[in-house]
Amino acid sequence: GKLMGYISDVTNAAVLNGVTVILETDTFTTSIDGYYEFNDVIIGQGYLFKAELPGYLNYQGWVDILAGENTRDTQLTPEG
């Protein structure tokens, strides 16, 4: 399976560069387009999903992997 998506700012929907996206023990850092992807995730398994960027509140959630491509777009909230 595959998990992919975009990370953006909840206040203005701008995509975020440099977000550390964590899926259990695997990490991916978004580029200027805010995109991330994890390949070879186990179909039928649930994963702890985190997104972290200085200046924003950390995001944490659960994602279940289905057959094929899975999309998880996530918005981060600025601190303060």
Side-chain angles (χ1 to χ4, degrees):
K2 180 177 181 177
L3 176 66
M4 60 191 175
Y6 292 90
I7 310 293
S8 60
D9 185 311
V10 71
T11 61
N12 60 15
V15 294
L16 296 173
N17 181 24
V19 178
T20 300
V21 183
I22 305 162
L23 193 66
E24 296 292 341
T25 58
D26 291 332
T27 61
F28 190 99
T29 302
T30 62
S31 58
I32 197 162
D33 62 0
Y35 180 78
Y36 74 89
E37 74 177 35
F38 293 96
N39 295 298
D40 301 321
V41 289
I42 299 171
I43 296 167
Q45 184 165 327
Y47 289 90
L48 183 61
F49 176 92
K50 299 178 184 179
E52 302 174 353
L53 181 66
Y56 287 83
L57 299 175
N58 290 344
Y59 175 88
Q60 181 172 307
W62 191 257
V63 61
D64 292 312
I65 304 300
L66 306 174
E69 296 182 345
N70 297 266
T71 301
R72 174 69 171 260
D73 294 332
T74 303
Q75 293 186 314
L76 298 183
T77 302
E79 289 180 336

